[in-house]
Amino acid sequence: MPAKQIIMCPPEYYDIEYSINPWMDTNNKVKKKEAQKQYNNLKEAFRKAGAEINELTPVKNLPDMVFACNAGYAESDIFVKANFKAQQRKREAEAAEKYFKQKNYRVFSLPENIIFEGEGDIIRTQSKYFLGWGQRSDLMAKDYIEDITGKEFIPLELIDPYFYHLDTCFGPINDELVVINEKAFSEDSLTKIYDRFQHVISANETDNSVLACNLVVLGKNVFIGKGTSEELKNEIRKFSYNVIENDMSEFLKGGGSVKCLSLEIF
Ligand code: ARG
């Protein structure tokens, strides 16, 4: 199997310069050295697990660009560029577009008025595709993404501003196993999740306070933020996965963890 490709963006300009989600407090500045260290540790851990890591060049005045997974959705030779909701993040999509064009991807974009925040709101397993909407991405993005990819997406409605992207509350580990924050979903969407996964692990408050659902899976390894409860880690281990923890405290200040830093190419 070819190595899994992940695009990351070094936290060179990362800081809390504005607040566009409830985790962000402009008085709670980032410790730059610590952020760089946490980022490097995660990158090295991914590499050790066999992933191929490529990096976007960080752009000055784009302090959230470190959260690379929001820049779009990438699958084989297709890149669907994000339309960010916050003015402050819009230029991140252009930087990513440049990168993917250079790598000869076919780049697609949605009409400007339709908000779409990439892999923050698109999460997929081998055979199931989900689109989170209600906080950032628009439900209307679904038809466009389906046309571009030829896949059918299951829409999941998000109702809690703390869990504003699908990847903050929904972490599938494989086609049958998922970790979720139940409270982040409308009743109807929660039913959809239970209908589609044989095993649903419910994250507790401790887990949600460190965005434990914001995980990345590489083979039999699950990468997750430090501070995740022993219960959750043990649940995951029961399905024969290794749990690899990384301190993500500096990135929690921006409202993100492991997955937010990782634009996975499917
Ligand atoms: N500060 C960023 C924002 O609010 C954090 C994005 C985190 N990314 C994610 N995929 N959840 O947009």
Side-chain angles (χ1 to χ4, degrees):
M1 231 180 26
K4 171 91 187 188
Q5 283 190 60
I6 300 180
I7 313 291
M8 299 178 77
C9 178
E12 200 171 322
Y13 303 109
Y14 171 50
D15 211 337
I16 314 301
E17 289 174 13
Y18 47 77
S19 173
I20 54 170
N21 72 53
W23 302 80
M24 299 172 86
D25 171 356
T26 51
N27 295 315
N28 193 17
K29 291 293 180 206
V30 170
K31 293 187 201 120
K32 301 275 176 164
K33 272 202 181 140
E34 189 53 32
Q36 188 65 56
K37 199 170 101 192
Q38 293 175 1
Y39 174 89
N40 289 342
N41 288 344
L42 184 66
K43 184 172 80 176
E44 282 320 307
F46 282 162
R47 281 197 172 136
K48 252 200 191 150
E52 178 190 327
I53 309 297
N54 289 299
E55 291 176 306
L56 301 172
T57 308
V59 177
K60 212 175 159 194
N61 296 323
L62 292 179
D64 267 335
M65 196 174 161
V66 68
F67 299 112
C69 100
N70 303 143
Y73 172 67
E75 176 188 302
S76 57
D77 68 334
I78 291 175
F79 179 68
V80 190
K81 186 183 154 188
N83 281 341
F84 281 96
K85 184 167 182 174
Q87 193 59 39
Q88 295 99 323
R89 296 198 69 186
K90 287 195 186 288
R91 283 194 304 126
E92 292 179 40
E94 268 80 81
E97 175 177 27
K98 230 194 239 165
Y99 173 92
F100 281 98
K101 275 202 170 144
Q102 220 171 24
K103 299 253 171 189
N104 291 322
Y105 277 74
R106 292 186 292 142
V107 175
F108 295 86
S109 34
L110 275 52
E112 246 173 74
N113 60 327
I114 295 179
I115 305 299
F116 169 59
E117 296 203 351
E119 285 183 23
D121 280 322
I122 280 192
I123 311 235
R124 55 166 291 187
T125 64
Q126 206 56 32
S127 67
K128 298 173 179 135
Y129 299 75
F130 300 90
L131 172 75
W133 66 277
Q135 299 292 323
R136 294 285 179 90
S137 298
D138 288 325
L139 178 56
M140 268 170 33
K142 181 176 172 292
D143 289 351
Y144 291 93
I145 312 273
E146 288 182 337
D147 272 352
I148 295 166
T149 61
K151 309 267 170 38
E152 199 179 310
F153 282 75
I154 300 153
L156 296 175
E157 185 182 9
L158 304 174
I159 58 166
D160 182 339
Y162 273 90
F163 301 91
Y164 55 91
H165 275 144
L166 185 59
D167 71 0
T168 62
C169 50
F170 182 77
I173 293 178
N174 60 43
D175 275 331
E176 290 308 331
L177 174 64
V178 66
V179 184
I180 63 165
N181 170 9
E182 304 212 356
K183 290 192 186 139
F185 296 95
S186 68
E187 230 180 273
D188 186 51
S189 292
L190 194 56
T191 309
K192 280 189 189 148
I193 297 171
Y194 273 93
D195 284 349
R196 281 166 179 86
F197 287 87
Q198 205 175 342
H199 307 284
V200 178
I201 305 178
S202 195
N204 67 28
E205 249 166 68
T206 305
D207 301 322
N208 291 323
S209 72
V210 294
L211 293 173
C213 300
N214 198 252
L215 52 84
V216 166
V217 183
L218 290 174
K220 276 296 192 181
N221 302 302
V222 175
F223 295 83
I224 208 163
K226 195 173 144 192
T228 299
S229 70
E230 288 306 314
E231 292 98 295
L232 178 52
K233 287 185 282 180
N234 284 334
E235 276 302 309
I236 295 174
R237 290 183 186 116
K238 277 190 200 156
F239 293 90
S240 319
Y241 284 87
N242 302 317
V243 176
I244 301 174
E245 279 178 286
N246 199 68
D247 187 355
M248 301 301 292
S249 53
E250 291 305 316
F251 300 103
L252 280 178
K253 293 177 179 174
S257 184
V258 176
K259 171 59 194 169
C260 300
L261 264 52
S262 319
L263 178 66
E264 295 176 72
I265 303 192
F266 288 97

